[in-house]
Amino acid sequence: MRVWEPFDADALLDDVGTALDDVPPAEEHRRELAERLRGHLAQLVDIAISGGADRKDTATLTLIENARATLSEVMPMDPRRAVVHLRRTAWTVNELLERLLATGQLTNVNVA
């Protein structure tokens, strides 16, 4: 059983911003950032599924499938590939967040 944590949009946006920044995160912080991004992504998938978004919207279903594929990947050991993995994960988090906001599955999140 997973430990429930409340949705923290600020932490999610900070982590996405860190991963997508022009300057890649320092190597010693990449694994920790990857784990946080995985947590955000898993939480967004749970929110989407619990709200039935996967049954109501094919675009959301596609994003959920992409998220699950991303969650199944292991972060590469090679530094360049690790940065690509982090950025792909962050992009997936961001896309799913935006879709959940657009479909009303999430509200009161300021992404500006």
Side-chain angles (χ1 to χ4, degrees):
M1 184 173 178
R2 243 189 292 182
V3 175
W4 179 84
E5 291 194 24
F7 179 70
D8 186 346
D10 291 333
L12 179 150
L13 294 171
D14 286 345
D15 289 341
V16 166
T18 298
L20 296 177
D21 196 340
D22 290 340
V23 178
E27 191 168 354
E28 62 268 14
H29 300 293
R30 289 181 191 152
R31 294 245 172 246
E32 181 181 330
L33 178 58
E35 285 306 310
R36 289 195 312 268
L37 287 168
R38 289 175 57 80
H40 297 311
L41 193 52
Q43 191 172 41
L44 289 174
V45 167
D46 288 346
I47 289 167
I49 291 171
S50 69
D54 57 327
R55 295 184 307 272
K56 299 175 191 171
D57 179 56
T58 57
T60 303
L61 178 59
T62 299
L63 289 169
I64 290 169
E65 290 169 353
N66 291 344
R68 287 179 171 157
T70 300
L71 288 168
S72 70
E73 296 173 1
V74 176
M75 189 162 134
M77 297 301 289
D78 176 71
R80 287 185 182 185
R81 294 174 94 188
V83 170
V84 169
H85 173 77
L86 277 175
R87 289 184 173 165
R88 188 173 52 245
T89 303
W91 188 256
T92 304
V93 168
N94 190 62
E95 289 293 306
L96 186 52
L97 172 65
E98 286 184 359
R99 189 67 195 162
L100 293 177
L101 289 168
T103 60
Q105 292 293 311
L106 279 175
T107 58
N108 299 328
V109 176
N110 184 10
V111 294

